[in-house]
Amino acid sequence: MRRPHLFLLCQALVVMLLGSCGGGGAAGPIQPQVEFSGLSISSDSISVAVGEAVQLTVTPKDQDGIAMGGLPAASWASEDSTIAGVVDGVVTGGAVGRTRVLASLTANGTTHADTIIVVVTASAPGAPAHPVTTVGTTFAPATITIAQGDSVTWIFLGAVHNVTFTAAAAPPGGGIPDQVPPTTVSRAFPSAGTYVYDCTRHANMRGTVIVQSGQQQVFTSVQLAPADVSLLSGDTLRLTAAPLDQVGVPIAGLPSASFITSNATVAVVASDGLVTAVSAGVDTITATITSGGTTIAATSLIRVSAPAAGATVTTPNLTFAPGTVTILAGQTVTWQFSGAVHNVTWLPGPVPPLGDVLDQAIGSTVQRSFPTAGVYTYECTRHNNMTGQVIVQSGQAQVYSSVAVTPATATLLVGGTVQLTAVPLDQTGVPMTGLPAPGFSSGDPAIATVNGAGMVTAMGAGTANITVTISSGAVTHSATATMLVSAPVPGGATVTTPNLTFAPPSVTIAAGGTVTWQFSGNTHNVTFTAAQPPGGNIPDQPAGSSQSRTFTSAGSYGYVCTRHSSMSGTVVVTGSTGTPTYTALELTPQAPFVQLNGLVQLTATPLDQTGAAMVGLPGPAFGSSSTAVATVTPTGLVTGRGVGSTTVTATLTAGGTTHSATSTITVGSQVGAVIATPGVKFNPDDIAIRPGETAVWQVSGTTHNITFETLAPPGGNIPDSPPGSSPSRVFPQVGEYKYFCTIHKDQGMNGRIRVQ
C-alpha cells in the first residue's frame, strides 16, 4: 500500500510548488495517468470432468490493481487442447489429465498474461450411453446428438453389421469391425464434432453422431458439401449447406441457405442446392446463411467435363452397374459414386494409367482412360463381392485366336469341387461372344472328373489335367487346367472366405498337418505376420481357387489378407508327439505407448516346448518396476500414471516351474496424433501436430515399419514392429516429415506428419 501514500506526498509537493510560483488562481489536483499493468483470471486452478465446461473470466488491471474497462477482449489458449480446450474463456474437459490455460491481452502496445491449472477428471460413472439399433439395413436413429464425453452404444441385430467411420474424425477405439448379432459395442466421444459412419456390408446404411461441447452454440461457419466435385455435362448433384458452431457442430433452427453460381454457362443451381452441370468448365457455387445479423458463406468448386467416349459405371446397392463394360482402346470409363464410400482396386492383370481409384465420397466422379486392349478386372475392397470388368477392344475385326480357362491351377482335397470358366479370346486377348459352348474332358477321371458345365470334382490323390476345347468354324483351340488333388490329412483343416472373412478364423492342427484355403467371392491372399510354414505366403488368388500349406513345426501362425483390412486368421500347430510341457511365457504387446492416464491390456500366454499356447494353467501375476510411471492390475490392465518408462513383468508358476516375461511401457503426456494401420495403409496418412508433441503408431494386422524419406525426428526410423506394438517418436522441430513402410511401399503405404 506504499504507492497511494507516495502518490499523495508527491501531489502535495506539486501543489506547494505551484502555489509558490504565484499562479493566478487555485490549482486542482493532477490526475494520474491510468496504465494497463496486469491481467488476472478468476481462479488459480479449476477441476472439470471430461465433457463438462466451466466459464472463466479475465480482468485487466491498472497500476494500482484496480479493474479496467474499455480494453480489447483477451485471447485464450490451452497448452494441451486434447486434455482441455478453451474458447472465449469457456474451458471444456477433453481427456483425463492436467494442463494449463493462458489468457493474454494487448493494449497500447503492452501485453500481459495470466495462467491457471486445469485438472480434467473422468466423467461420472453411468454417463449417458445413447443406443443405436440396426433395424434391417438401417441405423436407428440415423443421426444422434450427444454431449461431449457421452457414449454411443450400437446394438447389432438381424444381420452382420459394422461401423466404419468415413472421414478423418473417429472416436477413441476407431471403427467397429463386423459383429455377429446379437452383440453390443460402445464408443465414447470425448471431443466435439460430427462423426459420419457407414456399414460397409450394406448399401446406403449410414449414420451420424453429432457431439456437442456443452457451450452455447455461436454461429461461426458454414459447411458446404461436397466442397470439390467433378461432373459430366447433364449430371446433377445436390449440395448440402450446414451452419456450424464454434467447435464445428451443426446448429439447428437457422434459416435455409441461399445458393448462387459464378458461371451459369458451366453449372446452374436451384434454391434447394441442386446443381445441374451444363457444359465443360469450372464453376464456383456459393452458399450463404444469415442469422441474427450474421452472414457467413461457403463455396464449392464444380468441375464439369464433356462425357468422354466410352462408358459410365454407377454404384447402386453395393454393385458396379453395369458389372461389365466394353469400350474401344483409347476410350474412357467414368465411375459415378453414390450410396456409400467406394473405391476401384485393380485385380492381378492389366492396369490402366493412373492405377487404382482410392476411396471416394458419395457424389464424386472419377475417370480412367484405357489406351491398350485387354481385360481389366477390379473390385471395391470395402464391400464384399463388389466387382467389375472393363473389356477394351482394339477396334480391329475380332479373330478367334485362343481359349482362356480359370482357374488355370487349383488345389483340392478329395471330394472338393471347383468351377472352371472357359472364354474364347481374339488376337488381342479380348473375350469374344457368340461362339459355341466349350467342351470339357478329364485326362484322368480317377483323380478328377468334370461335367459339361465345367464343374470339377476331386476323386483321388494325384494330378489331372482338364482340357477345354472351343471350335468355331474350322478353327479349334484348347486350354488346360491343372488339378492338384491330395487326400485329406488327418488333423488337417479347411478355411473358406465368406463375406470378407476367414472361416473359421482360427484352426488347430497337429504338426505335419495341412491347411487348405478355398477362396471365393473376391481375390484374396494369405500373408503371414510372423512365423511362416514351408512355402511361405500365398499370393493373390482369384475366386474359385484353392491353395494349401503344410505346417511342419508347432507354433502359432497369424495371417491376414492384405487386400481386405478386416480379414485375419490364425493357425495353431500343436506338437505331434509327447505331452505338452510348460516351457516359456509370452507377454504381448511388448513395447506399447500409453498416454498419461491411458490404458493398455497386456496378455500373458504360457507356451509349451513347441511354442504352442497352453490352456488350463493358473493365471499370471503382474508387477510394475515403477508404479509412479504405470500401474498394472492383477488381470494385466496397465494405466499410465506419469511420463517416463517402466517395465511390467508377468510371472506364472505351474507344476513347480516358473517363467517370466516383460513388457516395456512408455508413458507420454503430449500425444499429438495416434496413427492406426488398417490393412496396408496409415490412418490418418496426413496429420498436423505442434512442436514437442508425440506421434504414436498402433501396429495391427501385420508387421510394419516407419521409414522417413529425408527429414527424421530424434530416434530416426522405426524398425519392423509386430502387431500389437505401439512405437512412437517425439517431433521437437517444425518441418514436414514424409515416411513409408518399406514392406508395403509398393501398395501405397505412406504418410506425412506436418509439425507447425
Side-chain angles (χ1 to χ4, degrees), residues 213-403:
S213 66
Q215 308 171 34
Q216 180 178 357
Q217 289 188 292
V218 178
F219 178 34
T220 305
S221 63
V222 174
Q223 181 184 62
L224 185 58
D228 190 334
V229 66
S230 297
L231 300 174
L232 300 178
S233 299
D235 285 348
T236 60
L237 174 72
R238 190 175 304 280
L239 297 177
T240 302
L244 305 179
D245 68 9
Q246 63 272 31
V247 294
V249 172
I251 304 176
L254 270 63
S256 299
S258 300
F259 297 89
I260 59 172
T261 178
S262 66
N263 190 346
T265 63
V266 174
V268 295
V269 61
S271 60
D272 61 355
L274 183 66
V275 177
T276 301
V278 178
S279 61
V282 178
D283 183 22
T284 299
I285 302 294
T286 301
T288 304
I289 297 178
T290 299
S291 176
T294 299
T295 298
I296 300 177
T299 60
S300 177
L301 194 63
I302 311 297
R303 309 172 193 270
V304 180
S305 57
T312 299
V313 177
T314 58
T315 61
N317 301 315
L318 300 190
T319 61
F320 290 111
T324 298
V325 296
T326 301
I327 62 174
L328 294 176
Q331 292 184 333
T332 297
V333 174
T334 302
W335 284 269
Q336 294 179 330
F337 298 100
S338 62
V341 174
H342 297 298
N343 58 61
V344 173
T345 302
W346 300 101
L347 299 176
V351 175
L354 301 182
D356 294 341
V357 177
L358 303 180
D359 282 353
Q360 299 294 312
I362 297 171
S364 59
T365 298
V366 178
Q367 296 179 329
R368 290 290 185 267
S369 295
F370 295 79
T372 305
V375 179
Y376 300 75
T377 305
Y378 62 91
E379 68 175 342
C380 171
T381 60
R382 294 178 63 90
H383 301 106
N384 189 39
N385 298 322
M386 188 173 177
T387 60
Q389 189 176 65
V390 179
I391 298 175
V392 183
Q393 297 177 333
S394 65
Q396 309 170 30
Q398 287 188 292
V399 178
Y400 174 39
S401 302
S402 62
V403 175

Side-chain angles (χ1 to χ4, degrees), residues 653-672:
T653 300
T657 301
T658 300
H659 292 288
S660 298
T662 61
S663 176
T664 301
I665 311 295
T666 302
V667 181
S669 61
Q670 292 187 341
V671 177

Side-chain angles (χ1 to χ4, degrees), residues 176-244:
I176 300 171
D178 282 353
Q179 299 294 312
V180 177
T183 55
T184 300
V185 181
S186 299
R187 288 289 186 267
F189 291 79
S191 300
T194 300
Y195 300 77
V196 179
Y197 63 91
D198 66 8
C199 172
T200 60
R201 298 176 65 88
H202 300 101
N204 302 317
M205 188 172 179
R206 310 185 73 214
T208 303
V209 178
I210 298 173
V211 184
Q212 295 180 331
S213 66
Q215 308 171 34
Q216 180 178 357
Q217 289 188 292
V218 178
F219 178 34
T220 305
S221 63
V222 174
Q223 181 184 62
L224 185 58
D228 190 334
V229 66
S230 297
L231 300 174
L232 300 178
S233 299
D235 285 348
T236 60
L237 174 72
R238 190 175 304 280
L239 297 177
T240 302
L244 305 179

